[in-house]
Amino acid sequence: MSNGTPYFLPAEKAQGLANYPHARFAPTTAHRTLYVSGTSSRRGDGTWDGVTEHADGTWTLDIRVQTAAVLRNIESIIHGATNGRGGLQNIVDATVFLIDLPQNYAGMNEEWNKVWPDRANAPARTTIGVKELPNPRLLVEIKCTAVVEL
């Protein structure tokens, strides 16, 4: 099941810096829309991917590892909610929330582009720099909408 039809502005117009279309038409027949809540890199045991805890109580955060984990967590949500019929390929729209946009945007894009190496297959996307997320260990959170065949 495809995530719909991409639309791209002509090449002489402004193009995205990562792999995503300017817009995407969602499929319309025999499909359900799944709205995935903001998802982080948190694991089931309450720890986070992309967080290295140090003995002195500080931590080191890795945007690439966190982004990859967020996308895996989203895939698990979609897969579970659709009884295995859906996955990341069904996302039609995503909103990325980033702490320290200038510092973390490139690393997040690197992981995004690994999942969607062809922008024609990528969801529409907005990236927003935010002051904070629900836990200070988090650099990225993504919410999205997927359309899955029934």
Side-chain angles (χ1 to χ4, degrees):
M1 184 348 241
S2 165
N3 64 346
T5 306
Y7 168 77
F8 298 101
L9 288 171
E12 69 273 6
K13 300 289 185 178
Q15 300 298 308
L17 299 176
N19 291 339
Y20 53 86
H22 290 98
R24 178 167 292 289
F25 288 101
T28 58
T29 59
H31 297 86
R32 291 193 65 195
T33 303
L34 177 66
Y35 299 91
V36 179
S37 297
T39 303
S40 73
S41 65
R42 190 165 52 90
R43 300 178 189 124
D45 65 2
T47 61
W48 299 267
D49 278 312
V51 178
T52 303
E53 304 271 349
H54 303 291
D56 65 359
T58 62
W59 54 79
T60 303
L61 307 177
D62 186 319
I63 186 60
R64 288 167 185 82
V65 174
Q66 283 196 19
T67 302
V70 169
L71 293 169
R72 281 193 310 274
N73 289 344
I74 289 171
E75 184 161 46
S76 293
I77 291 166
I78 296 170
H79 191 79
T82 63
N83 295 316
R85 290 188 306 269
L88 295 177
Q89 74 278 5
N90 298 99
I91 298 173
V92 295
D93 184 55
T95 303
V96 179
F97 301 94
L98 277 181
I99 299 293
D100 195 352
L101 192 63
Q103 178 69 31
N104 293 313
Y105 187 73
M108 180 276 299
N109 269 342
E110 285 178 26
E111 295 304 316
W112 179 275
N113 290 345
K114 287 178 186 177
V115 173
W116 291 286
D118 179 358
R119 69 184 187 131
N121 296 323
R125 188 185 91 186
T126 300
T127 303
I128 301 170
V130 296
K131 180 180 174 186
E132 58 189 352
L133 289 168
N135 187 292
R137 292 170 182 85
L138 300 178
L139 296 172
V140 59
E141 180 176 289
I142 300 174
K143 71 180 296 292
C144 61
T145 304
V147 177
V148 181
E149 193 170 358
L150 296 175

